[in-house]
Amino acid sequence: MKQEIITASQEETKRFGYELAARLSGGAVIALSGDLGAGKTTLTQGILEGFGVLPPYTSPTFVIMKQYAVTLASYPLIKRLYHVDAYRIGTQEMLSIGWEEWIEDEAGIVIIEWPERIADIIPDNVITVSLEWADATRRKITIDTGVPEV
Ligand code: ADP
Ligand code: MG
């Protein structure tokens, strides 16, 4: 299933993430594609807020993976969020720091920025969200769940 929307501000992109959170189940892997400044981190913050994770959020660019605990009663089956940034590394290094453990966590959700960097270890059940710069304040967001329409 594919869906496309245009957001007109950073807040709208955050809200898209917030609403996406409610549609995710444990074990989901979300790949965020898009150039620098497209809004990947902004969208991630919306997802984090959706799961009741409070700021400050630190960027995983240097630490590669930032893990958050989910304690919201409304999501009893989701306990952890893994925010991953593959910008600086490749497949072998990602595997060596625990990638498989994160994607196999059925009570976890993995959000990955720069999935292209580790394309060969992205699982088949990935939900792909692509962000494209439209102009200074607008972004085109396409979500592809990988599930064919019936
Ligand atoms: P990325 O993680 O993809 O590099 P960020 O989320 O860190 O991108 O940054 C996006 C930047 O674009 C922010 O400075 C934000 O204020 C700006 N921006 C402008 N319009 C939007 C929009 N519609 N959605 C998201 N970010 C936007
Ligand atoms: Mg980012």
Side-chain angles (χ1 to χ4, degrees), residues 90-134:
T91 298
Q92 282 315 313
E93 196 183 346
M94 193 62 90
L95 288 173
S96 74
I97 60 173
W99 175 253
E100 300 211 297
E101 196 183 302
W102 311 332
I103 63 170
E104 283 162 18
D105 181 356
E106 288 303 318
I109 286 176
V110 174
I111 302 160
I112 170 128
E113 298 189 42
W114 299 102
E116 302 79 9
R117 299 276 202 269
I118 58 161
D120 43 344
I121 54 170
I122 297 290
D124 290 340
N125 67 336
V126 68
I127 297 168
T128 301
V129 180
S130 305
L131 297 104
E132 280 173 66
W133 200 92

Side-chain angles (χ1 to χ4, degrees), residues 42-122:
T42 299
L43 199 156
T44 301
Q45 290 176 355
I47 298 176
L48 292 172
E49 279 181 19
F51 282 110
V53 177
L54 299 174
Y57 311 117
T58 50
S59 165
T61 303
F62 294 96
V63 295
I64 313 301
M65 193 279 286
K66 184 81 180 59
Q67 183 172 334
Y68 298 90
V70 177
T71 55
L72 270 195
S74 41
Y75 295 108
L77 301 179
I78 296 173
K79 301 293 181 201
R80 289 165 290 279
L81 292 176
Y82 304 94
H83 181 197
V84 186
D85 188 331
Y87 190 67
R88 290 165 182 280
I89 70 170
T91 298
Q92 282 315 313
E93 196 183 346
M94 193 62 90
L95 288 173
S96 74
I97 60 173
W99 175 253
E100 300 211 297
E101 196 183 302
W102 311 332
I103 63 170
E104 283 162 18
D105 181 356
E106 288 303 318
I109 286 176
V110 174
I111 302 160
I112 170 128
E113 298 189 42
W114 299 102
E116 302 79 9
R117 299 276 202 269
I118 58 161
D120 43 344
I121 54 170
I122 297 290

